[in-house]
């Protein structure tokens, strides 16, 4: 009996050893037969998102999985840069959020001026001491002057690059609870044209207004959330009968008027409301029904928000998509504060920010140059 039991134990242990050897052999064979196409999709995307556009396209023809991964992270657009205006000196910094790099450029031409707006790579600036208003391209250092004009507590925007013959500069100023003064100008003009307009609906104009140019119109978001529209061709002004976006009560606590941003994308008007203790809320104007609708996703788009002008982009690196990038950089210039709609959280973590602490003229998003030789 004892011998039989010993034989059984030996047979069982031999089978276990054989099974282990077979399993190890199978694993080894499987590992040897694995190819690059078997990489986990997350790892593939991480690798492919670091390639140039040309290399990304080449990689996409390797196989079906690589094609899907390459397209999902393909970058055909550049993100704007965050331009900083120094309190002293003429050295200006430009932060690239995609590469997390900072570039410097000396621009003595901007001494004594205040930034007002940016679009198509051009800055619109104002010198308070001389009332000089001018366009400036910081990368080509080209200047386009406008007639002198006193810009008090109001914001300014323009429709397109000043090199275009359709460029219009627009500003709106509060006169009374029912009247606003709208001033316009264009490159080559000898003076500004100012006209007073009556408001049928409440519109409080201030330096905290937001302006975007979209579909041939200037849209102006008032301090209290009403939307005014100016047609530069017909020279008409109206306040839309669209109630302001609905936000929770705590969004209207300390510095509530500073935490609003507005942008446009493919004809849509987008508004971002922020609160230092809550996640931001994004609204899109439903123009046919004239109501604001909350957006739970940006469908891969990226918004870049700053006080004076905000921008939208598509086809950026995968990790930047479906997010809002704000005009504040943390960790000694290494990370831009952003909010991911995919993850419903800020990055870096716990970076809810009180916008009342920031100078609105401290920085602004601007189109980057195609040629980086000026920074080498």
């Amino acid at each position: 009996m004892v011998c039989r039991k010993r034989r059984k134990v030996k047979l069982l242990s031999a089978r276990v050893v054989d099974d282990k050897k077979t399993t190890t052999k199978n694993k080894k064979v499987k590992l040897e037969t694995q190819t690059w196409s078997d990489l986990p999709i997350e790892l593939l995307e991480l690798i492919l998102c670091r390639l140039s556009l040309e290399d990304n396209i080449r990689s996409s023809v390797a196989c079906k999985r690589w094609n899907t991964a390459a397209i999902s992270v393909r970058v055909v657009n550049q993100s704007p840069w965050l331009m900083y205006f120094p309190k002293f000196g003429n050295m200006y910094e430009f932060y690239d959020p995609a590469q997390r790099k900072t570039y410097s450029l000396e621009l003595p031409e901007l001494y004594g001026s205040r930034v007002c707006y940016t679009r198509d790579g051009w800055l619109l600036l104002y010198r308070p001491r001389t009332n000089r208003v001018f366009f400036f391209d910081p990368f080509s250092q080209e200047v386009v002057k406008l007639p002198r004009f006193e810009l008090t507590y109001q914001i300014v925007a323009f429709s397109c690059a000043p090199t275009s013959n359709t460029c219009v500069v627009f500003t709106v100023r509060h006169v009374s609870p029912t009247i606003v003064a709208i001033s316009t100008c264009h490159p080559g003009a000898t003076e500004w044209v100012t006209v007073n307009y009556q408001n049928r609906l409440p519109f409080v104009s201030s330096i905290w207004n937001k302006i975007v140019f979209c579909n041939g119109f200037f849209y102006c978001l008032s301090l209290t959330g009403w939307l005014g529209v100016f047609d530069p061709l017909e020279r008409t002004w109206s306040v839309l009968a669209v109630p302001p976006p609905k936000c929770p009560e705590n969004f209207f606590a300390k510095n509530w008027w500073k935490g609003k941003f507005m942008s446009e994308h493919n004809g849509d008007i987008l508004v971002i409301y922020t609160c230092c203790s809550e996640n931001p809320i994004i609204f899109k104007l439903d123009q046919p029904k004239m109501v604001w609708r909350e957006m739970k996703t940006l469908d891969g788009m990226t918004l870049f928000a700053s006080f004076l002008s905000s921008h939208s982009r598509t086809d950026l690196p995968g990790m930047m998509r479906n997010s809002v990038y704000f005009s504040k950089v943390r960790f000694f210039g290494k990370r831009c504060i952003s909010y991911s709609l995919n993850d419903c959280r800020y990055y870096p973590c716990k970076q809810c920010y009180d916008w009342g602490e920031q100078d609105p003229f401290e920085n602004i998003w601007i189109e980057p140059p195609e040629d980086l030789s000026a920074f080498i």
Side-chain angles (χ1 to χ4, degrees):
M1 287 289 291
V2 175
C3 290
R4 286 180 184 176
K5 283 183 181 180
R6 284 178 181 173
R7 283 177 190 171
K8 284 182 179 180
V9 170
K10 282 183 178 179
L11 286 169
L12 284 170
S13 60
R15 283 177 187 173
V16 169
V17 171
D18 287 342
D19 288 344
K20 283 183 178 180
K21 285 180 179 178
T22 304
T23 303
T24 305
K25 188 178 180 181
N26 288 339
K27 283 183 178 179
K28 190 176 180 181
V29 170
K30 192 176 180 181
L31 285 171
E32 286 175 353
T33 56
Q34 277 185 332
T35 64
W36 283 98
S37 62
D38 296 316
L39 281 173
I41 194 71
E42 295 83 4
L43 187 56
L44 262 178
E45 289 177 348
L46 188 63
I47 295 168
L48 294 172
C49 76
R50 298 177 181 274
L51 300 181
S52 65
L53 176 60
E54 188 179 355
D55 290 336
N56 178 289
I57 293 170
R58 285 173 178 164
S59 302
S60 67
V61 300
C63 65
K64 191 173 181 179
R65 282 185 83 245
W66 278 47
N67 180 269
T68 302
I71 291 172
S72 71
V73 298
R74 183 168 294 166
V75 180
V76 295
N77 237 335
Q78 269 190 297
S79 70
W81 289 1
L82 191 59
M83 180 180 180
Y84 281 90
F85 286 75
K87 291 183 179 179
F88 308 100
N90 298 319
M91 190 62 71
Y92 292 75
E93 290 188 339
F94 298 83
Y95 175 75
D96 178 358
Q99 301 296 326
R100 297 183 187 176
K101 289 183 179 180
T102 300
Y103 304 93
S104 297
L105 202 58
E106 194 166 7
L107 300 170
E109 300 90 342
L110 303 188
Y111 179 78
S113 60
R114 184 182 79 197
V115 65
C116 299
Y117 199 75
T118 180
R119 186 183 175 99
D120 299 336
W122 286 83
L123 297 165
L124 181 63
L125 299 121
Y126 173 62
R127 284 201 178 102
R129 289 185 180 180
T130 60
N131 291 336
R132 170 63 70 190
V133 185
F134 64 102
F135 291 99
F136 184 74
D137 183 333
F139 307 117
S140 69
Q141 287 162 39
E142 186 178 351
V143 179
V144 176
K145 293 182 180 180
L146 291 172
R148 296 178 191 272
F149 188 73
E150 185 178 358
L151 293 172
T152 51
Y153 296 102
Q154 61 206 83
I155 58 169
V156 195
F158 57 97
S159 59
C160 57
T163 50
S164 169
N165 56 11
T166 60
C167 177
V168 178
V169 184
F170 164 86
T171 182
V172 58
R173 178 172 56 85
H174 178 82
V175 176
S176 74
T178 58
I179 298 175
V180 294
I182 291 178
S183 301
T184 58
C185 192
H186 60 85
T190 56
E191 62 180 5
W192 289 69
V193 177
T194 301
V195 179
N196 287 358
Y197 291 87
Q198 192 85 23
N199 293 322
R200 293 183 180 179
L201 290 169
F203 189 88
V204 181
S205 182
S206 76
I207 199 169
W208 303 110
N209 288 3
K210 308 297 175 187
I211 302 177
V212 297
F213 184 77
C214 179
N215 296 328
F217 300 94
F218 287 100
Y219 289 83
C220 185
L221 187 72
S222 77
L223 186 70
T224 52
W226 290 87
L227 197 62
V229 183
F230 179 73
D231 182 341
L233 292 178
E234 300 295 330
R235 299 199 62 80
T236 57
W237 165 263
S238 62
V239 179
L240 299 183
V242 183
K246 291 183 179 179
C247 292
E249 286 296 323
N250 56 352
F251 271 68
F252 300 98
K254 180 185 175 185
N255 297 316
W256 61 270
W257 60 90
K258 294 185 177 182
K260 295 199 302 284
F261 308 91
M262 185 165 69
S263 182
E264 68 87 21
H265 180 73
N266 289 345
D268 289 323
I269 305 297
L270 309 173
V271 174
I272 307 162
Y273 276 71
T274 64
C275 173
C276 62
S277 60
E278 300 288 341
N279 289 338
I281 303 177
I282 303 170
F283 296 94
K284 181 172 76 172
L285 180 64
D286 184 338
Q287 299 187 43
K289 295 186 178 179
M290 299 297 279
V291 292
W292 291 103
R293 302 209 182 274
E294 184 176 346
M295 299 180 71
K296 297 296 184 182
T297 178
L298 294 175
D299 294 321
M301 178 177 55
T302 308
L303 295 177
F304 295 86
S306 63
F307 283 106
L308 300 172
S309 66
S310 299
H311 303 257
S312 64
R313 288 289 187 281
T314 54
D315 299 322
L316 290 181
M319 63 187 73
M320 296 184 74
R321 296 179 186 181
N322 213 35
S323 299
V324 182
Y325 278 72
F326 294 98
S327 55
K328 188 68 181 177
V329 178
R330 294 293 203 192
F331 301 126
F332 306 101
K334 296 298 182 184
R335 279 293 291 272
C336 212
I337 292 180
S338 64
Y339 177 79
S340 168
L341 277 78
N342 289 335
D343 304 330
C344 297
R345 55 160 283 187
Y346 277 94
Y347 287 92
C349 62
K350 298 179 181 179
Q351 288 298 321
C352 293
Y353 188 68
D354 180 5
W355 295 104
E357 298 176 5
Q358 187 165 331
D359 178 0
F361 304 104
E362 176 182 282
N363 54 38
I364 197 168
W365 292 105
I366 187 171
E367 302 278 349
E370 293 182 5
D371 181 14
L372 295 180
S373 60
F375 299 96
I376 297 174

